Amino acid sequence: MGKIEKYGSYICKVGYLDIRQKIEMPKIKKGLRGGIQEVKGSVEVFVYHAKNKIAGPFKSHKLAIESAHELVGKNFKYNKLDKYK
């Protein structure tokens, strides 16, 4: 699994946070009796700090960018939990 499949495609950077999107294309499934069924695609937008997902999924880029601006304004820092402290 590559980086694009795991985290999504890079869109932009807001401060130290990255905006990434995952796109699922529509698919056509064939049924047992020859019927054809179309499954809709979707777009999900996430806010990442390095490899850590901070916020999301959002339905649009604007909402994700606004959320990232709020987090940067609050000086949000991702702290990994130490299990063995």
Side-chain angles (χ1 to χ4, degrees):
M1 182 184 307
K3 187 175 182 181
I4 291 176
E5 290 91 15
K6 190 172 183 182
Y7 302 115
S9 301
Y10 177 81
I11 296 176
C12 68
K13 189 172 198 80
V14 176
Y16 51 86
L17 300 175
D18 296 328
I19 310 294
R20 295 185 165 270
Q21 72 177 356
K22 288 184 185 178
I23 301 175
E24 286 189 22
M25 299 299 288
K27 298 177 184 177
I28 297 175
K29 287 187 174 182
K30 291 184 180 178
L32 295 174
R33 297 185 180 159
I36 296 175
Q37 187 178 31
E38 187 174 334
V39 179
K40 292 185 178 183
S42 65
V43 176
E44 295 178 329
V45 185
F46 298 96
V47 178
Y48 281 91
H49 180 244
K51 294 182 179 180
N52 305 306
K53 189 187 316 180
I54 303 299
F58 298 101
K59 292 292 179 184
S60 70
H61 302 132
K62 281 186 175 182
L63 295 173
I65 291 171
E66 289 173 5
S67 173
H69 277 295
E70 288 177 15
L71 291 171
V72 169
K74 294 177 183 176
N75 292 328
F76 176 80
K77 292 185 181 177
Y78 180 80
N79 296 326
K80 230 178 194 179
L81 297 175
D82 293 330
K83 294 181 182 178
Y84 304 108
K85 256 190 172 180

